[in-house]
Amino acid sequence: MALTNEEVELLRESFREIAIENEQANVRFYEILFEKDPDLQVMFTNDIGRQGAMLMSKLGVIVSEFHNMDLLAPMLGELAIRHVAYGVKEEHYPIVGEALIQLLLETLGDKFTLEAEVVWKKVYLDLSELMIEAAYPDRR
């Protein structure tokens, strides 16, 4: 997936902004996720703060290494395969994407421009498709 330099900068800038609110964002992401689909809560038996920290860490790697798909694609594929063992299904990916966008909107407010939202949606859609293909290779 190719992004313009401007799109990459929008992605990175919005992530830097949300990283400032790291602790609150960690917890709020899961609150949003469970509001969207309460059934997902059973998959998360660990401390949500810790889980959120791991999420932000992975997002940080994705944003910083976005230009390096040779590194990123295998890492995301392995992550997706591990998530299958936790009960993650293909239909959960759009819900997670919606929760992520809502978190960015809530946390960044006016700083999360329409252009940044479009970039995040494009990136999430492409990367989630990569993960789905890795986790469910026989789906089609």
Side-chain angles (χ1 to χ4, degrees):
M1 168 174 142
L3 294 180
T4 67
N5 290 338
E6 293 81 18
E7 289 173 323
V8 171
E9 187 52 37
L10 281 171
L11 188 72
R12 290 182 175 159
E13 179 59 32
S14 53
F15 182 76
R16 278 191 294 271
E17 289 289 328
I18 201 169
I20 293 168
E21 303 293 332
N22 196 357
E23 196 168 313
Q24 294 85 2
N26 292 349
V27 174
R28 182 63 186 138
F29 171 81
Y30 288 99
E31 289 172 352
I32 295 167
L33 185 65
F34 301 150
E35 289 166 8
K36 292 188 173 295
D37 189 341
D39 294 337
L40 293 178
Q41 200 160 358
V42 299
M43 289 187 214
F44 297 91
T45 57
N46 292 333
D47 172 42
I48 289 299
R50 184 172 165 261
Q51 186 71 35
M54 290 189 302
L55 170 70
M56 288 298 166
S57 175
K58 287 291 184 210
L59 280 176
V61 171
I62 291 166
V63 169
S64 68
E65 295 296 331
F66 191 77
H67 62 283
N68 187 357
M69 287 306 286
D70 290 340
L71 170 81
L72 204 52
M75 180 196 80
L76 291 174
E78 290 170 14
L79 181 66
I81 291 166
R82 282 196 316 268
H83 278 77
V84 171
Y86 303 132
V88 173
K89 296 183 170 104
E90 183 176 348
E91 60 265 21
H92 295 140
Y93 281 83
I95 300 164
V96 170
E98 291 170 17
L100 177 61
I101 295 302
Q102 185 175 332
L103 174 69
L104 288 161
L105 285 165
E106 285 183 15
T107 305
L108 302 179
D110 292 341
K111 292 180 183 178
F112 192 57
T113 64
L114 179 59
E115 294 83 6
E117 183 177 349
V118 168
V119 171
W120 273 96
K121 285 180 176 179
K122 180 165 63 168
V123 167
Y124 183 81
L125 185 65
D126 286 353
L127 295 183
S128 65
E129 185 59 32
L130 182 152
M131 293 176 74
I132 290 167
E133 287 175 8
Y136 314 100
D138 299 328
R139 71 183 175 122
R140 292 185 188 164

